[in-house]
């Protein structure tokens, strides 16, 4: 099995290339949790995870060296996670622009908003599954990497598909055929946009809910069922709109492990 086939079979395995050579700063005062998170990230492919228990330590390390990702608990000794992140952002040091994720037991909507307004790029309420944490870190690294192209409204190409985020259109053209626009509802376009932007890497269902079902102010118990129903309908719509691909490439949206989804990599399909 080739490396690309391995990545398609398990997209999480394909994240190792993204994480290789990258360093994480972890502020967490629960030693057992810190050890678990660090171990999981190292196994996922990160080169180093520096663990500290106090905000002052995190601030000192961030000012002294560059980190690719920062993960912070909110309730820590000395400086709390919010204040620590504010000072890292304001300090202009080598880690000032690094993607930052809050990992905390304080999961209320107001607390989440407060964390995001304090400079966090994502906010996760404990407990968080390993799959969810790794996928969200990967998503933030992708967003950081494509910040400049996104600002220019660059289209996303995946084989015969062209997604234009600015124009909010998805077109399909196989070989010499005239490009054909695929009609999608706003929600369907949002889902396809999230999955295609991930470029073959996993997007968890919780991430999809946060980004596509924005009118909901809470996470209902049956959110997975709601997503699964929508994904099932979207798979049918994409299949009906692209019969030229044949049965072998459908469904275009495939499951990855238990709670993640991937838009199939069609880069070799012309």
């Amino acid at each position: 099995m080739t490396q690309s086939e391995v990545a398609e079979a398990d997209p999480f395995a394909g994240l190792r290339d993204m994480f290789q050579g990258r360093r994480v700063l972890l502020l967490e005062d629960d030693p057992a949790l810190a050890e678990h998170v660090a171990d999981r990230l190292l196994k996922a492919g990160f080169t180093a995870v520096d663990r500290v228990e106090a905000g002052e330590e995190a601030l000192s390390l961030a000012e002294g060296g560059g980190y690719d990702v920062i993960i912070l608990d909110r309730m820590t000794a000395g400086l709390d996670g919010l204040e620590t992140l504010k000072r890292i952002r304001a300090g202009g040091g080598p880690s000032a622009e690094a993607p930052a994720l809050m990992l905390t037991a304080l999961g209320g909507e107001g607390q989440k908003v407060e964390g995001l307004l304090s400079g966090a790029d994502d906010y996760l309420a404990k407990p968080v599954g390993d799959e969810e944490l790794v996928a969200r870190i990967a998503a933030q690294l992708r967003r950081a990497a494509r910040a400049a192209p996104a600002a220019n409204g660059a289209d996303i190409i995946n084989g015969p598909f062209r997604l234009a985020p600015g124009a909010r259109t998805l077109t399909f053209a196989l070989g010499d055929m005239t490009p054909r626009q695929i009609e999608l509802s706003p929600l369907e376009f949002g889902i396809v946009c999230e999955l295609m932007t991930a470029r073959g890497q996993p997007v968890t269902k919780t991430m999809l809910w946060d980004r596509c079902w924005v009118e909901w102010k809470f996470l209902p118990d049956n959110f997975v069922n709601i997503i699964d129903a929508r994904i099932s309908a979207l798979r049918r719509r994409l299949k009906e709109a692209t019969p030229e691909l044949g049965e072998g490439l459908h469904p275009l949206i495939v499951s990855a492990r238990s709670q993640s989804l991937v838009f199939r990599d069609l880069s070799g399909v012309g």
Side-chain angles (χ1 to χ4, degrees):
M1 185 177 288
T2 66
Q3 185 174 359
S4 61
E5 289 172 333
V6 170
E8 183 170 341
D10 181 6
F12 283 85
L15 295 177
R16 294 192 65 86
D17 289 341
M18 174 189 288
F19 295 156
Q20 188 174 16
R22 296 182 183 270
R23 302 172 62 233
V24 179
L25 175 59
L26 173 61
L27 170 60
E28 173 57 64
D29 59 5
D30 181 336
L33 179 58
E35 182 177 0
H36 175 83
V37 170
D39 181 66
R40 182 65 187 87
L41 296 184
L42 291 171
K43 287 180 178 177
F46 281 96
T47 296
V49 180
D50 291 340
R51 296 154 38 184
V52 295
E53 296 185 3
E56 290 83 357
E57 296 177 86
L59 184 59
S60 177
L61 287 179
E63 291 175 342
Y67 288 94
D68 300 284
V69 178
I70 303 172
I71 303 174
L72 310 98
D73 187 7
R74 282 191 58 161
M75 299 180 293
T76 56
L79 289 178
D80 64 16
L82 290 184
E83 184 61 29
T84 299
L85 181 57
K86 288 179 182 178
R87 296 192 186 189
I88 291 174
R89 295 290 195 225
S95 302
E97 300 300 323
L101 296 87
M102 287 286 175
L103 182 59
T104 174
L106 302 178
E109 182 180 354
Q111 293 161 333
K112 180 177 181 179
V113 170
E114 184 182 16
L116 294 172
L117 292 178
S118 296
D121 298 287
D122 205 347
Y123 193 103
L124 306 178
K126 300 175 183 176
V128 177
D130 293 345
E131 181 178 313
E132 184 79 20
L133 177 61
V134 170
R136 285 182 178 264
I137 291 173
Q140 291 306 324
L141 289 173
R142 286 195 304 269
R143 288 176 183 273
R146 69 173 185 263
N152 297 326
D155 291 353
I156 299 169
I157 309 298
N158 182 4
F161 290 96
R162 176 183 291 270
L163 183 138
R168 298 189 65 80
T169 58
L170 177 67
T171 55
F172 173 80
L174 192 62
D176 297 329
M177 67 180 288
T178 301
R180 179 171 67 236
Q181 184 169 325
I182 299 175
E183 297 297 330
L184 298 173
S185 70
L187 176 57
E188 290 172 335
F189 183 85
I191 293 171
V192 171
C193 189
E194 287 294 333
L195 294 176
M196 282 189 61
T197 302
R199 299 185 184 279
Q201 294 168 357
V203 177
T204 70
K205 292 177 182 178
T206 307
M207 292 162 63
L208 272 184
W209 182 271
D210 288 347
R211 297 168 185 172
C212 299
W213 277 262
V214 293
E215 72 278 7
W216 288 70
K217 302 305 180 185
F218 65 98
L219 186 68
D221 293 338
N222 66 335
F223 84 97
V224 171
N225 294 334
I226 295 173
I227 292 177
D228 286 346
R230 178 62 66 171
I231 292 297
S232 180
L234 181 54
R235 284 170 172 156
R236 290 195 299 270
R237 182 185 293 272
L238 291 173
K239 184 176 182 179
E240 292 168 356
T242 59
E244 296 86 353
L245 287 177
E247 292 289 334
L249 293 177
H250 288 286
L252 292 171
I253 300 173
V254 297
S255 298
R257 297 191 183 178
S258 60
Q259 293 296 328
S260 299
L261 297 165
V262 175
F263 197 101
R264 193 183 294 275
D265 181 5
L266 301 174
S267 55
V269 179

